[in-house]
Amino acid sequence: KTDEAAAALAEALQMESVPYRIESYDISNIGNEHITAGMIVMEGGRFAKKEYRSFKISGTRGQDDYGSLREALTRRLKYLVPDENGEIVNSSFSSFPDLILLDGGANHLSVALEVMNELGVSVPVAGMVKDDYHKTRALVVFDGSDFCEVNIAKQRNVYVLLYKIQEEVH
């Protein structure tokens, strides 16, 4: 079922191939302190808990989700930038994600796109837009000229997959 949902997700996002490695990020805080960004990984339809990471946010002050996301994504994605010899440094972060999902909408997506542009990294990315009940109702993507929403209301298998990912990253 997860394979079918990943294929339907790829189709909804107009991806050329089904994502094998999906990374998802969410910012968590207690007041203005103890701010962290969580990263979960799904590989081949299963949660890869050994790949999970938690980023202690230290360079961003206060409850700034966008600044915190920028810091976490920069720390993660810099490992995908080739070194001076044109090689990717082999590390636990050298695995390229096929898709990045963000817990947030167009503004969060904008931050991710800026970070990738600054680093010269290109990864398909979408934001998970929530409804009034804090459940994902749509995905937001950038089509090259504008942000647009991809409705998933009628795609139960995609919704269930995104729900599982959203709950796991929380």
Side-chain angles (χ1 to χ4, degrees), residues 84-149:
E84 58 274 353
N85 297 322
E87 297 180 20
I88 303 283
V89 176
N90 189 12
S91 74
S92 61
F93 270 171
S94 61
S95 295
F96 233 93
D98 297 308
L99 175 63
I100 293 176
L101 294 173
L102 306 171
D103 192 42
N107 291 334
H108 290 83
L109 180 57
S110 180
V111 169
L113 293 170
E114 288 173 10
V115 169
M116 285 191 268
N117 187 47
E118 290 167 6
L119 295 174
V121 173
S122 180
V123 177
V125 60
M128 297 182 285
V129 181
K130 296 187 195 78
D131 62 16
D132 293 338
Y133 302 101
H134 205 66
K135 300 297 178 209
T136 301
R137 66 169 176 78
L139 294 170
V140 64
V141 296
F142 185 72
D143 68 4
S145 62
D146 200 8
F147 294 98
C148 55
E149 286 192 9

Side-chain angles (χ1 to χ4, degrees), residues 3-23:
D3 290 343
E4 291 173 11
L9 175 61
E11 184 177 336
L13 294 175
Q14 299 178 355
M15 297 177 67
E16 293 181 12
S17 61
V18 176
Y20 176 78
R21 181 183 173 99
I22 300 172
E23 294 181 3

Side-chain angles (χ1 to χ4, degrees), residues 36-78:
T36 60
M39 178 190 99
I40 64 104
V41 176
M42 181 177 268
E43 287 185 333
R46 296 177 186 257
F47 290 113
K49 295 188 181 219
K50 290 182 180 180
E51 299 286 321
Y52 288 18
R53 297 293 183 271
S54 179
F55 300 88
K56 182 178 178 183
I57 303 301
S58 58
T60 304
R61 299 280 180 230
Q63 291 184 8
D64 179 0
D65 270 9
Y66 307 122
S68 298
L69 181 62
R70 173 181 295 283
E71 182 177 333
L73 287 175
T74 299
R75 287 167 55 188
R76 161 58 180 117
L77 297 176
K78 72 180 181 184

